[in-house]
Amino acid sequence: MPKYLALSLFLLYLIFLTAISLINLGKLPTLGSSFDDKIFHFLSHSLLVVLTFNYFNKTRVSKPILISAFLSIGYGIIIEWLQGITSNSRTSDAYDVYANILGTVFAIIILSILKNVKLK
């Protein structure tokens, strides 16, 4: 995948994720569990790490996995903080931050395994 396409996918996803994190989405379909929101946080940050890594891996940045992880965790903390101060329909939740971090760690583990498999 060309670098400009990887950057475009990353930026579009970041804009989309920011928008759905800060606006009132109304009644959403559920998976039937009490922690649907945490599953969304986990999956969204896993994908964020993959897209960020995909872009940075195409540049000359060293340690793209580590940079992707820090960006995902920092972004998740900032979004939760913004939800607490800017939104009437959203609240800031420490458990959301934990779910974001777990999703980030999961993606890092998968990317590390895949990177090691390619090297062998």
Side-chain angles (χ1 to χ4, degrees), residues 65-99:
I65 291 177
L66 188 61
I67 292 171
S68 300
F70 282 125
L71 285 174
S72 176
I73 292 169
Y75 172 80
I77 291 169
I78 290 169
I79 287 295
E80 285 303 315
W81 176 72
L82 286 173
Q83 284 179 350
I85 64 170
T86 64
S87 178
N88 293 331
S89 62
R90 302 295 202 117
T91 58
S92 186
D93 184 3
Y95 290 116
D96 288 347
V97 174
Y98 298 144

Coordinates of all heavy atoms in Angstrom, one line a residue, residues 65-99:
I65 N 5.9 0.6 16.0 CA 4.9 0.0 16.9 C 4.8 0.8 18.2 O 3.7 1.1 18.7 CB 5.3 -1.5 17.2 CG1 5.1 -2.4 16.0 CG2 4.4 -2.1 18.4 CD1 5.5 -3.8 16.1
L66 N 5.9 1.2 18.8 CA 5.9 1.9 20.0 C 5.3 3.3 19.8 O 4.5 3.7 20.7 CB 7.4 2.1 20.5 CG 7.6 2.7 21.9 CD1 6.9 1.8 22.9 CD2 9.1 2.8 22.1
I67 N 5.6 4.0 18.7 CA 5.0 5.3 18.5 C 3.5 5.1 18.3 O 2.7 5.9 18.8 CB 5.7 5.9 17.2 CG1 7.1 6.3 17.5 CG2 4.9 7.1 16.8 CD1 7.9 6.7 16.3
S68 N 3.1 4.1 17.6 CA 1.6 3.9 17.4 C 0.9 3.6 18.7 O -0.2 4.1 18.9 CB 1.4 2.7 16.5 OG 2.0 2.9 15.2
A69 N 1.6 2.9 19.6 CA 1.0 2.7 20.9 C 0.8 3.9 21.7 O -0.2 4.2 22.3 CB 1.8 1.7 21.7
F70 N 1.9 4.8 21.8 CA 1.8 6.0 22.5 C 0.8 7.0 22.0 O 0.1 7.6 22.7 CB 3.2 6.7 22.6 CG 4.1 6.1 23.6 CD1 5.4 5.6 23.3 CD2 3.7 5.9 24.9 CE1 6.2 5.0 24.2 CE2 4.5 5.3 25.9 CZ 5.8 4.9 25.5
L71 N 0.7 7.0 20.6 CA -0.3 7.9 20.0 C -1.7 7.4 20.3 O -2.6 8.2 20.6 CB -0.1 7.9 18.5 CG 1.1 8.8 18.0 CD1 1.2 8.6 16.5 CD2 0.9 10.2 18.4
S72 N -2.0 6.1 20.3 CA -3.3 5.6 20.6 C -3.7 5.9 22.1 O -4.8 6.3 22.3 CB -3.3 4.1 20.3 OG -4.6 3.6 20.7
I73 N -2.8 5.6 23.0 CA -3.1 5.8 24.4 C -3.3 7.3 24.7 O -4.2 7.7 25.3 CB -2.0 5.2 25.3 CG1 -2.0 3.7 25.2 CG2 -2.1 5.7 26.7 CD1 -0.8 3.0 25.8
G74 N -2.4 8.2 24.1 CA -2.5 9.6 24.3 C -3.8 10.1 23.7 O -4.6 10.9 24.4
Y75 N -4.2 9.7 22.5 CA -5.4 10.1 21.9 C -6.6 9.6 22.7 O -7.6 10.4 22.9 CB -5.5 9.4 20.5 CG -6.8 9.6 19.8 CD1 -7.1 10.8 19.2 CD2 -7.8 8.6 19.8 CE1 -8.3 11.0 18.6 CE2 -9.0 8.8 19.2 CZ -9.3 10.0 18.6 OH -10.5 10.2 18.0
G76 N -6.6 8.4 23.3 CA -7.7 7.9 24.1 C -7.9 8.7 25.3 O -9.0 9.0 25.7
I77 N -6.8 9.1 26.0 CA -6.9 10.0 27.2 C -7.5 11.3 26.8 O -8.3 11.9 27.5 CB -5.5 10.1 27.9 CG1 -5.1 8.7 28.5 CG2 -5.5 11.1 28.9 CD1 -3.7 8.6 28.9
I78 N -7.0 11.9 25.8 CA -7.5 13.3 25.4 C -8.9 13.2 25.0 O -9.7 14.1 25.4 CB -6.6 13.8 24.2 CG1 -5.2 14.1 24.7 CG2 -7.3 15.0 23.5 CD1 -4.2 14.4 23.6
I79 N -9.4 12.2 24.3 CA -10.8 12.1 23.9 C -11.7 12.0 25.1 O -12.7 12.6 25.3 CB -11.0 11.0 22.9 CG1 -10.5 11.3 21.5 CG2 -12.5 10.6 22.8 CD1 -11.2 12.5 20.8
E80 N -11.3 11.1 26.1 CA -12.0 11.0 27.3 C -12.1 12.3 28.1 O -13.2 12.6 28.6 CB -11.4 9.9 28.2 CG -11.7 8.5 27.7 CD -13.2 8.2 27.5 OE1 -14.0 8.5 28.4 OE2 -13.6 7.6 26.5
W81 N -11.0 13.0 28.1 CA -11.0 14.3 28.8 C -11.9 15.3 28.1 O -12.7 16.0 28.7 CB -9.6 14.8 28.8 CG -9.4 16.2 29.4 CD1 -9.5 16.6 30.7 CD2 -9.1 17.4 28.7 NE1 -9.3 17.9 30.9 CE2 -9.1 18.4 29.6 CE3 -8.9 17.7 27.4 CZ2 -8.8 19.7 29.2 CZ3 -8.6 19.0 27.0 CH2 -8.6 20.0 27.9
L82 N -11.9 15.3 26.8 CA -12.8 16.2 26.0 C -14.2 15.8 26.2 O -15.1 16.7 26.3 CB -12.4 16.1 24.5 CG -11.1 16.9 24.1 CD1 -10.8 16.6 22.6 CD2 -11.3 18.4 24.4
Q83 N -14.5 14.5 26.3 CA -15.9 14.1 26.5 C -16.4 14.7 27.9 O -17.6 15.0 28.0 CB -16.0 12.6 26.5 CG -16.0 12.0 25.2 CD -16.1 10.5 25.2 OE1 -16.0 9.8 26.3 NE2 -16.3 9.9 24.1
G84 N -15.5 14.7 28.8 CA -15.9 15.2 30.1 C -16.2 16.7 30.2 O -17.0 17.2 31.0
I85 N -15.5 17.5 29.3 CA -15.6 18.9 29.4 C -16.4 19.5 28.3 O -16.9 20.7 28.4 CB -14.2 19.6 29.5 CG1 -13.4 19.4 28.2 CG2 -13.5 19.2 30.7 CD1 -12.2 20.2 28.1
T86 N -16.6 18.8 27.2 CA -17.3 19.5 26.0 C -18.7 18.9 25.7 O -19.4 19.5 25.0 CB -16.4 19.4 24.8 OG1 -16.3 18.0 24.4 CG2 -15.1 20.0 24.9
S87 N -19.0 17.7 26.2 CA -20.2 17.0 25.8 C -21.2 17.0 26.9 O -20.9 16.6 28.0 CB -19.8 15.6 25.3 OG -21.0 14.9 24.9
N88 N -22.5 17.3 26.5 CA -23.5 17.1 27.5 C -24.1 15.7 27.5 O -24.7 15.2 28.4 CB -24.7 18.1 27.2 CG -24.3 19.5 27.4 OD1 -23.4 19.8 28.3 ND2 -24.9 20.4 26.7
S89 N -23.9 15.0 26.4 CA -24.4 13.7 26.2 C -23.4 12.6 26.5 O -23.7 11.4 26.6 CB -25.0 13.5 24.8 OG -23.9 13.6 23.9
R90 N -22.1 12.9 26.7 CA -21.1 12.0 26.9 C -20.4 12.2 28.3 O -20.4 13.4 28.7 CB -20.0 12.0 25.8 CG -20.5 11.8 24.4 CD -21.0 10.4 24.3 NE -21.0 10.0 22.9 CZ -20.2 9.0 22.4 NH1 -19.5 8.3 23.2 NH2 -20.3 8.7 21.2
T91 N -19.9 11.2 28.9 CA -19.2 11.4 30.1 C -17.8 10.8 30.0 O -17.5 9.9 29.2 CB -19.9 10.7 31.3 OG1 -20.0 9.3 31.0 CG2 -21.3 11.3 31.5
S92 N -16.9 11.3 30.8 CA -15.5 10.8 30.9 C -15.5 9.5 31.8 O -16.2 9.6 32.8 CB -14.6 11.8 31.4 OG -13.3 11.4 31.4
D93 N -14.8 8.5 31.4 CA -14.9 7.2 32.1 C -13.5 6.6 32.1 O -12.9 6.3 31.1 CB -15.9 6.3 31.5 CG -16.1 5.0 32.3 OD1 -15.5 4.8 33.3 OD2 -16.8 4.2 31.8
A94 N -12.9 6.4 33.3 CA -11.6 5.8 33.4 C -11.6 4.4 32.8 O -10.6 3.9 32.3 CB -11.2 5.7 34.9
Y95 N -12.7 3.6 32.9 CA -12.8 2.3 32.4 C -12.7 2.3 30.8 O -12.2 1.4 30.2 CB -14.0 1.6 32.8 CG -14.0 1.2 34.3 CD1 -14.9 1.8 35.2 CD2 -13.0 0.3 34.8 CE1 -14.9 1.5 36.5 CE2 -13.0 0.0 36.1 CZ -13.9 0.6 37.0 OH -13.8 0.3 38.3
D96 N -13.1 3.4 30.2 CA -13.0 3.5 28.8 C -11.5 3.7 28.4 O -11.0 3.1 27.5 CB -13.7 4.8 28.2 CG -15.2 4.6 28.2 OD1 -15.7 3.4 28.4 OD2 -15.9 5.6 28.1
V97 N -10.8 4.4 29.2 CA -9.3 4.5 29.0 C -8.6 3.2 29.2 O -7.8 2.8 28.4 CB -8.7 5.6 30.0 CG1 -7.2 5.6 29.9 CG2 -9.3 7.0 29.7
Y98 N -9.1 2.4 30.2 CA -8.5 1.1 30.4 C -8.8 0.2 29.1 O -7.9 -0.6 28.7 CB -9.0 0.4 31.6 CG -8.7 1.1 32.9 CD1 -9.6 1.1 34.0 CD2 -7.5 1.8 33.1 CE1 -9.3 1.8 35.1 CE2 -7.2 2.4 34.2 CZ -8.1 2.4 35.3 OH -7.8 3.1 36.4
A99 N -10.0 0.3 28.6 CA -10.4 -0.5 27.4 C -9.6 -0.1 26.2 O -9.1 -0.9 25.4 CB -11.9 -0.4 27.1

